[in-house]
Amino acid sequence: MDEIGKNMYAIQYGNDIVVIDAGLMFPDEEMLGIDVVIPDVSYLVENQDKVRGIIITHGHEDHIGGLPYILKQLKVPLYATQLTMGLIEHKLREAHVHDIKRTVIHVNSELTLGQLKATFFQTNHSIPDSVGVCVDTPEGAVVHTGDFKFDMTPVNDQYADLHRMAELGKKGVLCLLSDSTNAERPGFTGSEQSVGESLKETFRHAKQRIIVATFASNIHRIQQVVDACVLYGRKLAVVGRSMINVINIATELGYLQMPEDLIIDTDDINRLPGHKVAVISTGSQGETMSALTRMANSSHRKVEILPGDTVVIAATPIPGNERAIGKTIDQLFRIGADVVYSAVAHVHVSGHGSQEDLKLMLSLLKPKYFIPIHGEYRMLRAHAQLAEAVGVRPENVFICDNGDTVEIANGRARYGPKIPTGKVLIDGLGVGDVGNIVLRDRKLLSQDGILVVVVTLSKEHGTILAGPDIISRGFVYVRESEKLLDEANHVVRNTMERCMKDQVSEWASLKTNIRDSLSKFLFERTRRRPMILPIIMEV
């Protein structure tokens, strides 16, 4: 809730808990050095004997990315459709998670999970094998839509099952949890087919190589690039680790259709004439280490973008990534490439339903209670207003924060007690070992740098034997600031001598005095507050 990413919801009845999705979120600019963020599952770990399983709605990172970390703490069965399970298994192998019971489901599956029963319905999204989940409880049916839109001409013929949704609505839906990502956008979300036509037009006019950057998991978009390559006689090179993994898994499972001789090795890109080559790559969000960004900066080992090449960025910026993408596009233009992106051409449609899609879902399911999910607060609020517009009573709409519970008993709903929740930060191999204090220190270091003060004292006489020596990193350039550091040295020496005169010998007090006096002096002289780290040694 209140964010895009890190999706994880739990439905509990008595001693039975069913979890839906287990995603990750990418860090914001305040989370210095953090790789990814996952949900805090301490409530589920404490109640592990009640958790009957985790159901995954589809294979995007914000729904499956947390599993390699979470399943190390939570040894429970996992249920997902075929492609989704293929993507998950690759992640679990890489994370050395092997002892989890995995069951592949399909739209006609029925799962009995304690007193809860789960059934599924087909939805349409930007990745195949997406499903919505209906959990039947003794209180009534709880429906989770997953991510969805209503695409009437889907690329892979996976149509949203409107009949099944209408049947659920007719039987009665106690509570609906529905995707709010595009709740602020009017109209219906466009069809993926329209992007295919734009891509073919771009392929038809391109004179040199074409580089297409898109989300690795957008298999429909990858299929459209494949189709355009076949139509215009181009070979396709795949760049980016996640893109290679997804294409291999999707091809193996039959979700991507392509001729056997279409794919070429990246080493062969320069051996073929430009008009015979296309490249598909990661990096549509301007990520620093992604393939496209490295190509734009001329630092990619295998692929160099040349003047006259066409670069297609087939994605829209995730909120917060606009600056990074803008920088990448500028750099590509500077190289001499022709850049095609969503602001100037129709090369992307969202996988999430806009206002009319959301109203159609609400009208089909006719829920008594409604909880908008999967969105920042303004999106949840907009979705709540849509629900009220199609007949859900305002008092039956619950806008929640992370950790909120909604309790339903005897057909009546109310907010329940909050459960512990929050962000678990992943930094390298460390899971949750970086918290607010470490992030605060990293922020301080990044803003004003650090000064290390080293002093050696005589244990016997309590006098200064060596130092103080001041080492600066990220605060000032030492060669140009010798006078300032000499004065800082005198401030530390005077502080130490004053403390010894007052018979202050505890290290903690000495360090505090050094830190306070030096901090005050440096702020007066530079208006900066570096981190000051006193190190005292006794000999």
Side-chain angles (χ1 to χ4, degrees):
M1 305 292 195
D2 293 347
E3 59 197 6
I4 301 291
K6 201 159 66 61
N7 292 287
M8 198 173 194
Y9 311 90
I11 298 167
Q12 178 168 3
Y13 182 87
N15 289 323
D16 299 311
I17 300 174
V18 171
V19 178
I20 299 176
D21 291 333
L24 59 72
M25 185 171 77
F26 293 104
D28 58 38
E29 62 265 15
E30 296 286 306
M31 297 178 184
L32 301 168
I34 300 303
D35 300 324
V36 294
V37 186
I38 62 169
D40 178 353
V41 292
S42 51
Y43 176 80
L44 296 175
V45 172
E46 286 165 18
N47 293 277
Q48 186 158 185
D49 56 324
K50 297 177 185 174
V51 181
R52 302 292 165 244
I54 301 176
I55 296 169
I56 305 295
T57 58
H58 65 283
H60 280 154
E61 285 292 322
D62 57 334
H63 296 260
I64 66 172
L67 286 170
Y69 308 101
I70 290 164
L71 290 177
K72 286 180 179 175
Q73 305 172 63
L74 205 60
K75 305 291 186 185
V76 297
L78 189 62
Y79 302 92
T81 51
Q82 188 179 32
L83 175 64
T84 308
M85 192 63 85
L87 296 170
I88 290 168
E89 284 182 340
H90 176 77
K91 286 181 167 299
L92 297 185
R93 269 198 307 276
E94 283 193 334
H96 307 293
V97 178
H98 304 294
D99 52 345
I100 297 297
K101 185 188 173 191
R102 300 186 289 276
T103 304
V104 174
I105 56 168
H106 50 81
V107 287
N108 296 317
S109 296
E110 287 189 12
L111 305 176
T112 301
L113 304 157
Q115 294 183 79
L116 306 174
K117 192 174 92 172
T119 55
F120 305 91
F121 54 92
Q122 192 159 285
T123 57
N124 190 275
H125 189 40
S126 53
I127 188 170
D129 264 10
S130 302
V131 291
V133 185
C134 176
V135 179
D136 281 309
T137 77
E139 282 288 332
V142 178
V143 174
H144 183 298
T145 64
D147 291 4
F148 75 95
K149 67 176 181 178
F150 289 103
D151 189 341
M152 300 307 174
T153 54
V155 172
N156 64 339
D157 295 333
Q158 183 174 327
Y159 295 90
D161 193 344
L162 278 74
H163 300 291
R164 171 89 176 109
M165 295 174 203
E167 273 175 27
L168 289 170
K170 199 171 178 183
K171 276 171 57 184
V173 172
L174 177 67
C175 184
L176 172 64
L177 288 74
S178 183
D179 171 16
S180 308
T181 311
N182 281 347
E184 298 167 300
R185 287 193 192 175
F188 282 97
T189 297
S191 171
E192 183 68 30
Q193 290 275 18
S194 60
V195 175
E197 295 308 312
S198 295
L199 281 173
K200 284 173 186 171
E201 192 70 11
T202 303
F203 270 68
R204 191 159 66 83
H205 289 109
K207 299 287 189 288
Q208 293 297 318
R209 298 177 305 174
I210 296 175
I211 294 95
V212 181
T214 188
F215 293 110
S217 56
N218 195 336
I219 290 165
H220 302 327
R221 193 71 44 80
I222 297 168
Q223 183 69 62
Q224 309 236 50
V225 172
V226 167
D227 294 346
C229 285
V230 172
L231 186 63
Y232 291 102
R234 289 180 183 258
K235 297 293 186 185
L236 183 64
V238 184
V239 179
R241 183 166 158 264
S242 56
M243 184 69 78
I244 292 166
N245 290 339
V246 169
I247 287 179
N248 287 341
I249 292 164
T251 307
E252 193 180 310
L253 295 174
Y255 290 89
L256 262 179
Q257 313 298 325
M258 67 173 80
E260 284 182 19
D261 62 344
L262 181 74
I263 300 288
I264 59 168
D265 194 85
T266 47
D267 292 330
D268 297 327
I269 291 172
N270 296 324
R271 293 175 192 156
L272 291 169
H275 67 282
K276 290 287 183 186
V277 176
V279 177
I280 191 163
S281 150
T282 54
S284 62
Q285 294 301 307
E287 305 95 319
T288 312
M289 294 308 294
S290 66
L292 182 68
T293 306
R294 282 184 285 142
M295 289 180 216
N297 295 329
S298 303
S299 60
H300 196 280
R301 286 184 302 130
K302 298 285 182 77
V303 186
E304 184 184 0
I305 293 174
L306 304 170
D309 286 349
T310 300
V311 180
V312 181
I313 300 177
T316 49
I318 292 171
N321 291 352
E322 296 88 352
R323 191 184 297 174
I325 295 175
K327 196 175 171 186
T328 302
I329 292 170
D330 278 355
Q331 191 60 32
L332 290 165
F333 275 123
R334 200 180 291 275
I335 292 169
D338 296 319
V339 190
V340 180
Y341 51 104
S342 57
V344 298
H346 186 63
V347 288
H348 179 70
V349 293
S350 177
H352 300 270
S354 300
Q355 290 181 349
E356 297 306 314
D357 301 80
L358 302 182
K359 287 196 272 190
L360 177 55
M361 180 66 82
L362 283 156
S363 301
L364 287 167
L365 291 168
K366 300 186 183 72
K368 180 177 180 182
Y369 294 105
F370 177 60
I371 304 174
I373 59 167
H374 198 298
E376 293 166 3
Y377 187 82
R378 65 183 189 280
M379 302 167 188
L380 305 181
R381 189 75 197 88
H383 201 174
Q385 288 168 343
L386 293 177
E388 290 166 24
V390 297
V392 180
R393 292 165 64 178
E395 63 270 23
N396 287 0
V397 177
F398 292 82
I399 299 178
C400 299
D401 291 325
N402 287 335
D404 279 354
T405 63
V406 175
E407 290 185 348
I408 306 178
N410 303 318
R412 298 193 65 178
R414 61 185 178 88
Y415 284 108
K418 260 184 122 65
I419 63 165
T421 185
K423 296 176 169 72
V424 174
L425 308 180
I426 311 290
D427 186 359
L429 296 175
V431 178
D433 58 344
V434 173
N436 291 335
I437 305 297
V438 175
L439 284 182
R440 186 198 65 196
D441 287 350
R442 287 181 181 181
K443 193 173 179 186
L444 277 172
L445 288 167
S446 73
Q447 288 171 340
D448 290 321
I450 184 171
L451 280 185
V452 181
V453 181
V454 184
V455 185
T456 306
L457 300 179
S458 163
K459 198 170 189 177
E460 194 176 338
H461 303 294
T463 54
I464 298 172
L465 292 180
D469 295 319
I470 295 179
I471 301 156
S472 165
R473 289 290 180 274
F475 170 56
V476 289
Y477 184 48
V478 174
R479 286 184 185 175
E480 292 175 3
S481 308
E482 287 177 0
K483 189 181 176 193
L484 175 70
L485 293 179
D486 282 345
E487 289 176 24
N489 208 311
H490 286 304
V491 168
V492 176
R493 181 175 281 277
N494 292 340
T495 304
M496 291 290 293
E497 286 171 352
R498 191 179 66 249
C499 287
M500 285 163 190
K501 195 176 175 184
D502 295 344
Q503 296 186 329
V504 175
S505 57
E506 278 189 13
W507 283 18
S509 300
L510 287 171
K511 287 180 179 181
T512 302
N513 277 294
I514 291 170
R515 204 178 283 119
D516 290 348
S517 59
L518 191 54
S519 179
K520 186 181 174 188
F521 166 75
L522 292 172
F523 185 74
E524 284 172 358
R525 294 296 303 273
T526 66
R527 284 293 181 269
R528 299 182 209 161
R529 296 190 189 278
M531 182 182 283
I532 296 168
L533 194 64
I535 297 173
I536 298 172
M537 295 182 286
E538 275 189 343
V539 292

